[in-house]
Amino acid sequence: MDTRPREMLGEHYIKSRLLKYDFEIHSELSYDKGGADFMVTKKIDRTKLNYIIIQSKSREIKKSTSVKIPKQYVNKNFVLFVYLINPKKEENLFCFFHEDYHIFKDTGSEYILHINENKINFLQEGHTFDQSKAEKINSIFNELQRKKYTSIIIDGFFLEESIIKTYEIYTKIWKREFQTPSLVYLAEKINSYFNRFSNNFNDIAFYLYISKDQNLKKHILLDDKFNNFSMKESFAKIFTTYTDKLIPFHIMNDLARFKQSDNIILIANDIIYEHFLSNLEIDPQSIIVARLKTEDRPHEMFVKYRWQDITYPIGLALGLKPFEL
């Protein structure tokens, strides 16, 4: 018996229901990718997109039927749709996510779902494709878009200026000298103050660019051998680059490389970055920019991203107490 007409009917029915909820469908697959009959996609930017694999199964049910899925296909961005039609032409559409396979029989290499009339009644209660299941697919996209890493990118000139200004401000206020901060201690304070991302317990990389023409070592303790440390549930590593090239070129290159994979904390603030940042294709919620809030700073840039004041973590690293800032 030729089952292709039924399979086509089921796939078209599934696609029509997905289109109802405004999903973009990509059907032109030249090969089977992880069990995909087609994919639903969501654009990240002009050149990249996320996708969710859709496998469609169509069955004509009289007394009973079954669906088999290789276990290797099942993961967080794999969704199984099962279209059922009975002799009375009554239709049901069910969908299953990676956490739903406990209702399948596990044979070791595949999952099998046996379906009869009683099972249909059960499936209708919790697995019918509807608005709530469409929202669940959208939540998978949100999870795929959530970035798993944080990069803290530091312009050595801006850091030096910020340390000097912060030291001057609080020396005038408190009339006392302060300790020279270590880079590691300052990095910990920058992360704890700036890292406001929802998944802020991921691994963190600090990229510090120091010009060979500057004297940052006069204002901060640098130990190139001690550059790995732990913070709460995160592991952090500092990468220090000494360069005779313009630091903004290094930083703009990092921003372009990391914009899709990482949350970014940018410890750099100068109008030289303004045009580049204004045209950067990135989720505005995935970048935080440092500012140095002083009245005599003429080169403060204006961008659409969230910002925080760099003097607070520097003040803590200098030895000030939170109530003194």
Side-chain angles (χ1 to χ4, degrees), residues 233-251:
E233 299 176 29
S234 302
F235 177 77
K237 184 175 179 65
I238 299 173
F239 300 89
T240 302
T241 300
Y242 296 89
T243 180
D244 53 7
K245 297 180 180 179
L246 287 174
I247 288 174
F249 291 150
H250 290 284
I251 289 180

Side-chain angles (χ1 to χ4, degrees), residues 35-154:
D37 290 311
F38 60 94
M39 298 179 182
V40 291
T41 61
K42 189 172 184 179
K43 277 190 175 181
I44 301 173
D45 59 25
R46 288 181 298 177
T47 61
K48 295 185 177 68
L49 52 79
N50 281 326
Y51 65 87
I52 295 173
I53 292 172
I54 305 295
Q55 181 156 118
S56 66
K57 297 290 188 182
S58 300
R59 298 290 186 269
E60 182 177 358
I61 184 166
K62 294 179 182 178
K63 291 184 178 180
S64 65
T65 188
S66 64
V67 171
K68 298 180 181 180
I69 299 295
K71 289 180 70 174
Q72 67 195 57
Y73 290 167
V74 179
N75 56 52
K76 287 186 177 181
N77 70 324
F78 175 89
V79 180
L80 169 66
F81 280 85
V82 178
Y83 168 80
L84 297 179
I85 185 168
N86 66 18
K88 296 179 181 180
K89 305 304 179 184
E90 295 170 334
E91 297 170 307
N92 281 282
L93 180 61
F94 304 117
C95 71
F96 304 91
F97 299 90
H98 78 283
E99 68 270 21
D100 294 328
Y101 286 85
H102 64 278
I103 67 171
F104 288 61
K105 181 180 179 181
D106 185 346
T107 68
S109 61
E110 60 187 4
Y111 293 112
I112 301 176
L113 180 65
H114 297 288
I115 305 171
N116 54 31
E117 288 297 331
N118 290 333
K119 195 62 168 281
I120 289 175
N121 293 332
F122 166 77
L123 294 175
Q124 285 173 337
E125 293 180 6
H127 300 279
T128 295
F129 182 67
D130 54 15
Q131 176 72 39
S132 67
K133 297 299 185 291
E135 291 173 357
K136 194 163 186 177
I137 291 175
N138 276 320
S139 73
I140 296 174
F141 278 122
N142 292 338
E143 180 65 25
L144 290 173
Q145 195 168 348
R146 186 171 295 137
K147 297 176 178 179
K148 306 298 192 297
Y149 306 97
T150 296
S151 288
I152 299 177
I153 305 172
I154 306 172

Side-chain angles (χ1 to χ4, degrees), residues 201-219:
F201 293 122
N202 47 16
D203 286 346
I204 299 162
F206 291 81
Y207 298 91
L208 170 61
Y209 292 96
I210 303 174
S211 172
K212 292 180 179 178
D213 296 326
Q214 70 177 119
N215 192 16
L216 183 60
K217 288 185 177 181
K218 182 179 178 181
H219 308 286

Side-chain angles (χ1 to χ4, degrees), residues 216-276:
L216 183 60
K217 288 185 177 181
K218 182 179 178 181
H219 308 286
I220 191 169
L221 301 175
L222 298 173
D223 185 348
D224 296 334
K225 295 180 181 179
F226 181 53
N227 55 14
N228 298 328
F229 57 98
S230 297
M231 297 179 296
K232 294 183 180 179
E233 299 176 29
S234 302
F235 177 77
K237 184 175 179 65
I238 299 173
F239 300 89
T240 302
T241 300
Y242 296 89
T243 180
D244 53 7
K245 297 180 180 179
L246 287 174
I247 288 174
F249 291 150
H250 290 284
I251 289 180
M252 288 186 279
N253 181 59
D254 281 353
L255 290 169
R257 285 193 301 133
F258 299 144
K259 65 179 183 178
Q260 298 302 340
S261 60
D262 294 20
N263 293 313
I264 294 171
I265 297 171
L266 179 60
I267 310 299
N269 195 308
D270 192 283
I271 55 174
I272 195 171
Y273 297 103
E274 191 170 296
H275 179 74
F276 178 84

